Amino acid sequence: MCLTIPGKIISINNQTARVSLGGETRDVFMGTVKGAKIGDWILATGNIGVRKINARDAREIISLLEDSKQINKNKIDLKLNDIFRRAWDRRLTKDDLLYLLRLQEDEDLAALYSEANVMRKTILKDFICIHGIIEFSNYCQNDCAYCGLRSANRHLKRYRMTINEITAAAGKAIQRGYKLLVLQSGEDFFYSDDALAEIVRKIKEKNRVFIFMSVGERGYECYKKLKAAGASGVLFRYETSNPRLFKKLHPRGKNLARRLEHLKFMKELGFFIATGSLIGLPGQTEKDLLNDLLTTKKYANMVSMGPFIPTADTPLAKSPHTEEIKNWKVRMNLKMIAILRLLIPEARIPVVTALETLAGEDGRKQALHAGANSLMFNLTPAKYRPLYKIYGNKFYQKENIWEKYGLFKYEESYKMLEERMAKELERNEKQN
Ligand code: SAH
């Protein structure tokens, strides 16, 4: 479901209201909104009023989307201004990216976030989308050194949802208004390729919804079946673009080349690609992060990047996790979001749970102010949710306000996604 920024009615003439919205005024058709008066707050898609919203909720949504800090452009260093100009011309260089990655001063960072936020608003307008994720199995055949689901972890109680449970959970989410669902699991071959395809087909046959699969390295044939069954996208991180670091973290013969090979054929198969890496892995360098930006640019329609959180019962459980390190990761994650917004202006950039886990509720606001434009809510059934422990203390909160005001009853939300995805897929095709 998608959510737009609320506007305040400043005048009404017949069925048209003039609305102050995100710093501009807009004429909005009010045929579908009954009884609205001057001073009321409304939600609109484009020039069509959708519904009234109370003032308190309106302010809450605005505070999440709008940064009130004003940046004095004259005060920003000239080099930064040059880089911003190149971003708008889509000519950012590797040196530019490195310069941005190295920014430390609060004022410079505020300028970067602000520019990214302006880019988001200009390119993607004033709405953000909310997607859902259902984690349907925590079994995994892999042994990724950072992940609590690794097969060597004998302390984790394992679960698998049945096909009926998965389709029921998806059905419930769709009824609540979700238009894009990610189905995620460990690498669990208990579900055959055909079983996964059947799940997608069953959900799609009854609903207008986009399904993204996040099931790991299962080879070309599997993804071909998933595409044929109606899956639209994949969530598949390359984890780190440094092949040596990748090898160190992924035993049992896993390697980066095979991971990237998957991304390549996924793109060729016509999937919308959500990918990215972990930020703050032990042994990761600045050069690695720079290459992560470039690798993400190469593959991603949607960015999925989050901080590494040390997890109990894994080889990296004892990695340093001081307040200072946590803050560094949060800051670096926000910086990467902002840089990626400048580097891939059309990208869908969700705020990931790991960032919220480290930064709390405020992390969401900070990320949206730094150029992120979507949220991913956990819709795993409550009895399984605590068991999907890729890392501990995962952030989870009931998201009433978002669901309440998502414009989910309306076909617009689906059409908007469809249109955007089509554009992105066209872009992918040109690259293939
Ligand atoms: N099996 C699927 C899904 C993996 S779990 C696949 O292979 O794509 C989803 C993501 O969680 C991983 O891609 C990884 O980047 C992230 N993750 C795992 N352990 C983590 C940790 N300790 N801290 C932060 N993120 C972690």
Side-chain angles (χ1 to χ4, degrees), residues 257-306:
R258 180 171 151 87
R259 198 85 190 160
L260 294 178
E261 191 53 39
H262 268 74
L263 283 173
K264 202 161 161 260
F265 70 62
M266 286 162 166
K267 205 168 187 176
E268 278 162 14
L269 281 169
F271 281 112
F272 190 93
I273 309 279
T275 192
S277 59
L278 285 158
I279 297 167
L281 287 165
Q284 193 177 42
T285 64
E286 181 184 75
K287 190 171 149 230
D288 294 337
L289 291 172
L290 176 63
N291 282 328
D292 286 358
L293 290 171
L294 297 169
T295 306
T296 303
K297 156 98 176 157
K298 185 165 173 196
Y299 294 102
N301 305 109
M302 175 157 143
V303 172
S304 177
M305 269 191 184

Side-chain angles (χ1 to χ4, degrees), residues 1-5 43-45 50-51 61 65 126-133 169-182 208-212 302 348 350 364 368 373-379 397-418 420-421:
M1 68 187 82
C2 296
L3 193 77
T4 60
I5 199 157
L43 294 174
T45 60
V50 176
R51 64 154 103 168
I61 296 173
L65 293 181
D126 262 322
F127 63 81
I128 61 164
C129 291
I130 303 169
H131 310 314
I133 180 161
K172 214 165 118 192
I174 293 158
Q175 240 174 22
R176 270 157 71 187
Y178 287 86
K179 307 281 182 210
L180 194 162
L181 292 176
V182 179
R208 295 262 286 168
V209 66
F210 296 99
I211 302 290
F212 280 42
M302 175 157 143
R348 201 159 272 278
R364 175 175 303 174
L368 290 171
N373 73 324
S374 67
L375 300 172
M376 186 76 80
F377 288 174
N378 191 321
L379 305 178
Q397 211 170 13
K398 268 236 154 286
E399 322 283 0
N400 300 333
I401 184 170
W402 300 97
E403 287 198 359
K404 188 158 129 206
Y405 291 116
L407 302 176
F408 50 80
K409 290 199 187 107
Y410 300 85
E411 176 67 8
E412 279 96 328
S413 206
Y414 184 91
K415 286 218 184 102
M416 214 151 57
L417 267 177
E418 193 172 41
R420 295 228 162 140
M421 280 212 255

